[in-house]
Amino acid sequence: MLLTGAEILLECLIREGVEVMFGYPGGAILPTYDAMAKYPQLKHVLVRHEQGASHMADGYARASGRVGVCIATSGPGATNLVTGLATAMMDSVGIVAITGQVSRGSIGTDAFQETDVTGVTLPVTKHNYLVMSAAEIPHVVHEAFHIASSGRPGPVLIDIPKDVQTEKAEFKVENYPPKLKLPGYQVPKGATETELESALELIRNAKKPLILAGHGIMMSGAVQELRELAELAGIPVTLTLLGKGAMPENHPLCLGMMGMHGNAACNYAIQEADLLIALGMRFDDRVTGNLKTYSPNSRKIHVEIDPSEINKNVKVDVGINGDLRTVMRQLVPGLPRKTHPEWMAQIRDWQEDASEREILTHYTGEGLLGAQVVNDLWRLTDGNAITVSDVGQHQMLEAQYYPHQRPQTMLTSGGLGTMGFGFPAAIGAKFAKPDEEVWAVVGDGGFQMTLAELATARQENVPVKIAILNNSFLGMVRQWQEFFYEERYQSTPMVNPDFCKLAEAYGIPSMRVTKRAEIEQAVAFARSVDGPVLIEFQILAEEIVYPMVPAGNDLHNMIRRPKPGESQ
């Protein structure tokens, strides 16, 4: 077939299994949009801002495990994708971004809406391409999807000049996919015998072992292997923020989330362990605190697909560069069947102390807590919803008070900490999982960064439920100001719109909640509507998320909620 570059591009996307794209048209990408009419099997979702498109593709990818696709025009359209690309890069999410570019003859002339997109996005993509002929498109597209989804996943950008999209070339269906030509791109597989034996020896001798489970568990499909390893060797499991869901949080060996706002028992266990087994995590600073005092008495095993992460932040005794699922399958047959009753008893003591500090058990105030909202949402949805959050206090409350039992059901921006991520990513997640209940749990600050996507949700009638935890503050920044800046609340109080009237303007049903007794009715109302719904929860302005490890401090040196009758 003799097809235009735009038609070849769409033919290739179909053969890569793409069903939905999130984008915004413009002059340099218009030939591709014009060709979409010939391919009704490709669903296109019109966003209201290109950043929303990249977050939707990201949410789609996280929820489905497949590559998400976003599309934009040249210049400002392409640069508006950058925040979403950086978000996906930091969290190892496979998306493919397609951007239009000015015609080949105009490149380098500062033409209207020209930007060096490959140069701009080089630091925030796993790879990118500038396509200079229509004949290249099949190879580029197939390579892009392979790179985005293999090894350590990540975003890939394809920049296509406008005249390449109109140029004709031969496309042979029977020749797709073309043979990959990536001699410098090798994805590691399993561990060597020496590495396996070294790791097993450390596990056999450990008396206080601990597993640190990260996002890589889900990325590699190693959820079952993690459970087998933990149960067989009797090793408790802690989770990173993005690792939530890697192991059911009601499992007796699962201790919950570690780190800056993690469970105190997790952090104490890390500091007291004699062996850390880090699986698919990168020892981020929000997890480790002060590196000089991090888990000082432990030997360390690190299994990671990206060799650059091993020994980058934390020096380890055994570093295994390989696919996590493959390595864990190699490890399990050699594991000893053990239990660690004394170690688990110590952990239970820490957990009991934490439960005595739990605000939900002793709060008697009249104001509504964000913790109450999230915990009631968990109870009323039977813990089965996909929750998608922005970044801030509400994100940490979601991580603490909504236990997840399944993988890929808590979606959030971890590494980059992107405000505005939650709502558009929830739309993408709903397209990926149309039969799942999806809640965007967002703060009043982050929500306003991408609230224009209310129009997208309305136009597509996407049944995403939006829970806004409104405290009229940039809550997490305000908390830092309270603790470390003598309560100087500079530029954190917010004058917000009436979110219910805002929803009404978009034709979206809404409800406002000011008391805990109203939560159940509001959630029932949201679930009854076949379409988007917005619930505004007016929560206390000065709620604090405990515990908190001050930035750069020792992991065990947490600011903790006082017990009843105990002074701070």
Side-chain angles (χ1 to χ4, degrees), residues 199-250:
L200 288 169
E201 183 67 17
L202 291 178
I203 295 172
R204 292 187 194 108
N205 294 331
K207 292 181 172 56
K208 296 188 288 185
L210 191 66
I211 293 171
L212 313 182
H215 196 203
I217 298 288
M218 271 86 79
M219 294 292 94
S220 65
V223 171
Q224 185 58 39
E225 286 74 13
L226 170 64
R227 187 163 181 167
E228 288 177 7
L229 190 157
E231 291 177 345
L232 179 62
I235 303 175
V237 178
T238 65
L239 308 169
T240 66
L241 174 64
L242 295 183
K244 277 177 65 72
M247 191 167 187
E249 291 191 65
N250 60 1

Side-chain angles (χ1 to χ4, degrees), residues 166-463:
T166 57
E167 180 182 74
K168 290 193 174 183
E170 188 175 11
F171 179 74
K172 295 182 179 180
V173 175
E174 63 274 16
N175 290 347
Y176 197 91
K179 186 176 180 181
L180 289 168
K181 299 176 182 178
L182 296 167
Y185 181 68
Q186 301 295 328
V187 178
K189 298 297 183 184
T192 66
E193 288 298 322
T194 300
E195 290 169 340
L196 286 174
E197 187 50 43
S198 297
L200 288 169
E201 183 67 17
L202 291 178
I203 295 172
R204 292 187 194 108
N205 294 331
K207 292 181 172 56
K208 296 188 288 185
L210 191 66
I211 293 171
L212 313 182
H215 196 203
I217 298 288
M218 271 86 79
M219 294 292 94
S220 65
V223 171
Q224 185 58 39
E225 286 74 13
L226 170 64
R227 187 163 181 167
E228 288 177 7
L229 190 157
E231 291 177 345
L232 179 62
I235 303 175
V237 178
T238 65
L239 308 169
T240 66
L241 174 64
L242 295 183
K244 277 177 65 72
M247 191 167 187
E249 291 191 65
N250 60 1
H251 192 286
L253 287 173
C254 187
L255 310 186
M257 186 180 72
M258 67 182 90
M260 177 175 280
H261 292 287
N263 187 296
C266 290
N267 291 346
Y268 287 140
I270 289 171
Q271 295 299 79
E272 292 294 323
D274 64 3
L275 176 65
L276 296 185
I277 307 170
L279 303 174
M281 54 87 72
R282 57 189 179 86
F283 290 109
D284 173 74
D285 62 287
R286 287 311 197 246
V287 162
T288 63
N290 183 3
L291 286 170
K292 294 180 180 178
T293 60
Y294 179 73
S295 193
N297 301 314
S298 68
R299 308 292 294 275
K300 298 172 182 70
I301 301 168
H302 191 185
V303 185
E304 170 61 47
I305 191 75
D306 184 347
S308 70
E309 294 293 351
I310 298 175
N311 290 315
K312 184 177 81 174
N313 295 327
V314 173
K315 301 301 179 184
V316 299
D317 298 277
V318 179
I320 301 176
N321 176 217
D323 171 68
L324 191 56
R325 188 181 186 188
T326 302
V327 173
M328 291 174 72
R329 286 184 169 181
Q330 290 176 293
L331 280 171
V332 167
L335 287 173
R337 184 173 294 278
K338 295 178 67 176
T339 59
H340 301 88
E342 292 182 3
W343 178 223
M344 292 304 299
Q346 173 64 79
I347 290 171
R348 300 304 178 212
D349 286 343
W350 289 325
Q351 290 176 323
E352 184 176 335
D353 179 75
S355 68
E356 292 175 4
R357 302 171 186 272
E358 176 49 61
I359 192 170
L360 292 182
T361 61
H362 61 75
Y363 175 69
T364 57
E366 294 183 1
L368 182 62
L369 297 175
Q372 293 172 324
V373 173
V374 173
N375 199 241
D376 284 358
L377 182 62
W378 165 75
R379 176 176 56 85
L380 295 167
T381 59
D382 297 319
N384 288 323
I386 294 174
T387 62
V388 193
S389 75
D390 274 335
V391 172
Q393 284 183 317
H394 70 277
Q395 175 194 37
M396 293 297 99
L397 292 171
E398 197 286 335
Q400 292 177 349
Y401 291 99
Y402 198 109
H404 287 264
Q405 314 307 331
R406 298 181 295 141
Q408 296 168 316
T409 55
M410 182 196 173
L411 314 181
T412 192
S413 171
L416 196 64
T418 307
M419 292 178 69
F421 170 85
F423 175 42
I427 293 175
K430 187 62 179 178
F431 273 100
K433 297 287 186 179
D435 297 328
E436 297 266 6
E437 183 174 1
V438 178
W439 282 81
V441 181
V442 296
D444 47 317
F447 176 68
Q448 291 182 80
M449 290 189 172
T450 50
L451 64 77
E453 302 310 333
L454 286 169
T456 303
R458 177 69 280 169
Q459 182 167 337
E460 298 290 340
N461 199 39
V462 185

Side-chain angles (χ1 to χ4, degrees), residues 516-536:
R516 189 175 190 182
E518 300 168 346
I519 294 176
E520 186 165 350
Q521 178 188 358
V523 172
F525 165 69
R527 301 177 85 187
S528 71
V529 176
D530 184 19
V533 178
L534 184 150
I535 309 295
E536 178 191 353

Side-chain angles (χ1 to χ4, degrees), residues 461-506:
N461 199 39
V462 185
V464 167
K465 315 308 176 185
I466 308 161
I468 302 177
L469 274 59
N470 179 15
N471 60 3
S472 296
F473 264 110
L474 295 176
M476 187 59 81
V477 184
R478 187 214 62 79
Q479 179 170 324
W480 280 55
Q481 289 172 328
E482 178 175 344
F483 284 166
F484 312 119
Y485 294 88
E486 298 178 346
E487 300 185 12
R488 293 188 295 273
Y489 299 144
Q490 175 61 44
S491 302
T492 48
M494 302 188 73
V495 176
N496 290 324
D498 183 323
F499 288 111
C500 291
K501 286 184 178 178
L502 184 69
E504 181 183 348
Y506 282 96

